[in-house]
Amino acid sequence: MIRLTLLVSVAFCVSPAVLGHDSPRRPVPTTKPEYMSMVRTAAPPATIQNATILMPDGRGDTLTLQLGTNGFTCDIPPRGILKCADEGGMAWLKAIRSGGESSDKTGIIYMLGNEPDTNHHHHTEAMQEHTSWAEGGPHVMIVGRGAREAANFLFYTQNANPEQAVLMYSGTKYEHLMLPMPAGKKSVVSP
Amino acid sequence: MEDAMKRLYILASVTLLASPALALTPKATKDVPKEKDAYIAKTLTAAPEAVSKNATIVRVNDTFDVTETLQKGTNNFTCGIEPDSGNPFCADEYSMRWYKAAYSNGEPPPGFGLAYMQGGDTGISNHDPAATDHSHWVEAPQHVMLLGPGVKELAASYPRKLDPDPMQPFVMFPGHKYEHLMIPIDREPDGTQ
C-alpha cells in the first residue's frame, strides 16, 4: 500500500513536469532564443542571469551568448543534458569527460532541468556502474574536496531513500554528492 | 549591428523571464499555525512533494524538542516549522540533530545533513543566529542547507561575507559553530517546482 501511494505520488509529481518540460534527450535547440529558454531551466533564475552561457554552434565552435560574473557556466552539451557549473564543477566535468584526474576544487553543478527520473531509482547499482551520472532526475551535485569530506559523514546506503543526499561513484576519483531535487509541483496547500 | 541587436534581445528576454520568477519566490511569514491542517499545509511548502508527502510532520518547541507528531512518515525526513522564524523545513535525520544542537546552544554533532527550505525564509542576522538587532540581515530565497562538520570544506569554498548575495550559494554564520552552506534552488515559474 505504501508502495502504491509512493508510485501514485511519483506519477503525480512527474506528469506536470513531463508535459511542460524539456527532456534532457530532446535535441539541443539551434536558435539562440530557444537555446536560452532551455538553458534557463537548469538553475535558479538569479544564477542564470549572472552566468556565462555557452552555445555550441554546430561546427565545433562555441558561441558565448552571455558573459557572466558569478563564476557559473551554463550550457547544453550535444547530449542535451543541461547544466550550470561553477569553476570547481566545470573542472570536475572536464575530468570525468576526459577520464582525467578529478579536480580537487570544490564545486557545485546545477542540473535542475533534468527529466524527472520516472523509475524513481536515483541510485541503484546499475546507475552507479552503467548509466550516466547525469540521468538521475533534477539534482544538484557537489564535487571535489568538499564532496569527499562530506562523504566521510554520509551513512546512507545507496537505496535508502530516493530523496536523500547520496554519494555517487563512491571510492573512485569521481566520487561526488548528489542532492536530489525531486520534480513536481511544490506540495499543494490543503485541498 | 546585428550582433548588438541580438545581444540586446537576449538581455531583454533574460530580464523578462527572470523577473517574474524572483517575484514568485514565496514570502515567508513568521506565522506558526495553531490549527493542525494549517500547520501541515505550511509545513508541506518546505520541500518538493516527493519529499514532504512521505515525511514525518512535527511541532517543535523553542529548544527543538518534538512536542507533537502530526504525521508519521516513511522516509528519512522530518518536516515542521521553526518556532522562532516561522520558516517551514524538511530535514533529514542528521539535520534534525543539528537543529536540536543549534536551538539549545550545543555543539553540532559529527555528520553531514541535507535540509530543504523551499517555503522561503523570514531572514536572520548572518553573523550570529542569536542577534536581535537585524544587523547583517539576510533573507534567502528557496534553498537547501548543507549542515554539520562534514560541510567545512564546502563552507571554505563559497562566499563567507557577513552581507552575502543570498541568490547565490553562500555560507550562513561564517566562522560560527553553526556555519553552513546555503544553496538557492528556486526555479522558473513554469519549471518543475
Side-chain angles (χ1 to χ4, degrees), chain B residues 3-188:
Chain B
D3 271 350
M5 276 305 284
K6 275 182 188 165
R7 186 165 301 192
L8 193 63
Y9 174 77
I10 289 163
L11 260 176
S13 60
V14 167
T15 311
L16 275 181
L17 277 141
S19 43
L22 297 180
L24 274 192
T25 295
K27 180 74 185 163
T29 67
K30 288 201 158 198
D31 184 39
V32 180
K34 295 262 183 296
E35 201 261 322
K36 180 181 170 181
D37 288 348
Y39 184 93
I40 291 176
K42 181 169 182 178
T43 298
L44 293 181
T45 63
E49 195 174 16
V51 173
S52 59
K53 199 176 180 71
N54 300 308
T56 295
I57 297 178
V58 299
R59 286 183 190 273
V60 291
N61 63 16
D62 289 346
T63 51
F64 231 80
D65 295 308
V66 173
T67 55
E68 190 183 356
T69 299
L70 303 174
Q71 173 180 301
K72 187 86 187 118
T74 54
N75 66 19
N76 223 355
F77 284 84
T78 302
C79 306
I81 301 176
E82 292 180 354
D84 49 345
S85 68
N87 296 336
F89 64 87
C90 285
D92 67 10
E93 200 182 340
Y94 171 79
S95 300
M96 284 301 284
R97 287 191 278 131
W98 187 93
Y99 257 129
K100 170 65 190 160
Y103 275 77
S104 49
N105 201 26
E107 287 300 316
F112 172 85
L114 168 67
Y116 292 92
M117 206 169 261
Q118 283 191 193
D121 189 327
T122 53
I124 195 161
S125 286
N126 200 42
H127 63 303
D128 182 357
T132 54
D133 60 359
H134 278 221
S135 49
H136 303 297
W137 196 247
V138 58
E139 291 181 22
Q142 303 174 358
H143 63 275
V144 290
M145 301 189 291
L146 298 182
L147 306 168
V151 85
K152 245 186 184 46
E153 182 64 42
L154 266 165
S157 307
Y158 288 93
R160 305 175 59 81
K161 297 175 190 160
L162 289 183
D163 299 298
D165 172 6
M167 304 307 287
Q168 313 288 340
F170 74 96
V171 177
M172 179 164 272
F173 311 141
H176 194 280
K177 63 182 172 183
Y178 302 134
E179 78 172 17
H180 59 272
L181 188 65
M182 306 272 287
I183 304 180
I185 54 162
D186 51 310
R187 301 189 212 188
E188 287 283 314

Side-chain angles (χ1 to χ4, degrees), chain A residues 2 5-6 9-10 12-13 17-18 20-21 32-33 36 40-41 43-50 53 64-66 70 72 86 88 104 106-108 110 112-114 116 120 138 140 142-143 145-147 149-151 153-156 160-161 163-165 177 179-190, chain B residues 3 6-7 9-11 13-15 17-19 21-22 26 37 41-42 44-54 74-77 92-95 97 110-114 116 118-119 142 144 146 149-154 157-158 165 167-169 181-193:
Chain A
I2 288 171
T5 314
L6 186 68
S9 67
V10 168
F12 265 110
C13 317
V18 169
H21 220 256
K32 290 179 188 177
M36 288 296 287
R40 269 195 300 270
T41 63
T47 302
I48 304 278
Q49 201 163 10
N50 300 311
I53 298 181
T64 302
L65 298 190
Q66 177 176 300
N70 64 3
F72 278 88
D86 62 10
D104 215 29
T106 297
I108 292 176
Y110 282 106
L112 299 184
N114 270 12
H120 217 240
V140 174
I142 306 288
V143 302
R145 196 187 299 160
E149 181 197 49
F153 293 99
L154 270 187
F155 307 115
Y156 308 110
N161 180 337
E163 292 88 32
Q164 186 61 63
L177 284 183
L179 312 177
M181 299 293 149
K185 60 190 186 313
K186 208 162 50 177
S187 296
V188 180
V189 181
S190 51
Chain B
D3 271 350
K6 275 182 188 165
R7 186 165 301 192
Y9 174 77
I10 289 163
L11 260 176
S13 60
V14 167
T15 311
L17 277 141
S19 43
L22 297 180
D37 288 348
K42 181 169 182 178
L44 293 181
T45 63
E49 195 174 16
V51 173
S52 59
K53 199 176 180 71
N54 300 308
T74 54
N75 66 19
N76 223 355
F77 284 84
D92 67 10
E93 200 182 340
Y94 171 79
S95 300
R97 287 191 278 131
F112 172 85
L114 168 67
Y116 292 92
Q118 283 191 193
Q142 303 174 358
V144 290
L146 298 182
V151 85
K152 245 186 184 46
E153 182 64 42
L154 266 165
S157 307
Y158 288 93
D165 172 6
M167 304 307 287
Q168 313 288 340
L181 188 65
M182 306 272 287
I183 304 180
I185 54 162
D186 51 310
R187 301 189 212 188
E188 287 283 314
D190 59 349
T192 54
Q193 283 305 304

Side-chain angles (χ1 to χ4, degrees), chain A:
Chain A
M1 189 56 198
I2 288 171
R3 184 163 302 193
L4 189 65
T5 314
L6 186 68
L7 264 175
V8 169
S9 67
V10 168
F12 265 110
C13 317
V14 164
S15 45
V18 169
L19 290 174
H21 220 256
D22 298 303
S23 157
R25 297 237 179 242
R26 203 178 100 158
V28 179
T30 51
T31 69
K32 290 179 188 177
E34 284 172 343
Y35 188 93
M36 288 296 287
S37 171
M38 191 168 170
V39 156
R40 269 195 300 270
T41 63
T47 302
I48 304 278
Q49 201 163 10
N50 300 311
T52 292
I53 298 181
L54 303 178
M55 177 180 177
D57 71 353
R59 297 187 296 272
D61 281 331
T62 302
L63 303 173
T64 302
L65 298 190
Q66 177 176 300
L67 202 55
T69 53
N70 64 3
F72 278 88
T73 301
C74 308
D75 71 340
I76 313 173
R79 289 186 61 216
I81 298 164
L82 49 160
K83 57 119 196 321
C84 288
D86 62 10
E87 282 176 28
M90 289 298 279
W92 185 88
L93 285 165
K94 191 177 171 191
I96 198 167
R97 282 185 186 137
S98 64
E101 281 306 310
S102 179
S103 164
D104 215 29
K105 193 172 166 61
T106 297
I108 292 176
I109 305 170
Y110 282 106
M111 289 188 176
L112 299 184
N114 270 12
E115 184 74 355
D117 191 3
T118 45
N119 68 15
H120 217 240
H121 289 282
H122 288 298
H123 21 76
T124 58
E125 279 184 26
M127 170 99 184
Q128 283 268 314
E129 290 167 11
H130 304 298
T131 58
S132 165
W133 38 269
E135 291 172 359
H139 60 271
V140 174
M141 290 159 65
I142 306 288
V143 302
R145 196 187 299 160
R148 282 195 289 280
E149 181 197 49
N152 293 332
F153 293 99
L154 270 187
F155 307 115
Y156 308 110
T157 57
Q158 291 297 320
N159 293 307
N161 180 337
E163 292 88 32
Q164 186 61 63
V166 71
L167 186 65
M168 301 290 290
Y169 292 153
S170 175
T172 75
K173 60 185 173 184
Y174 304 126
E175 187 171 74
H176 63 280
L177 284 183
M178 181 159 140
L179 312 177
M181 299 293 149
K185 60 190 186 313
K186 208 162 50 177
S187 296
V188 180
V189 181
S190 51

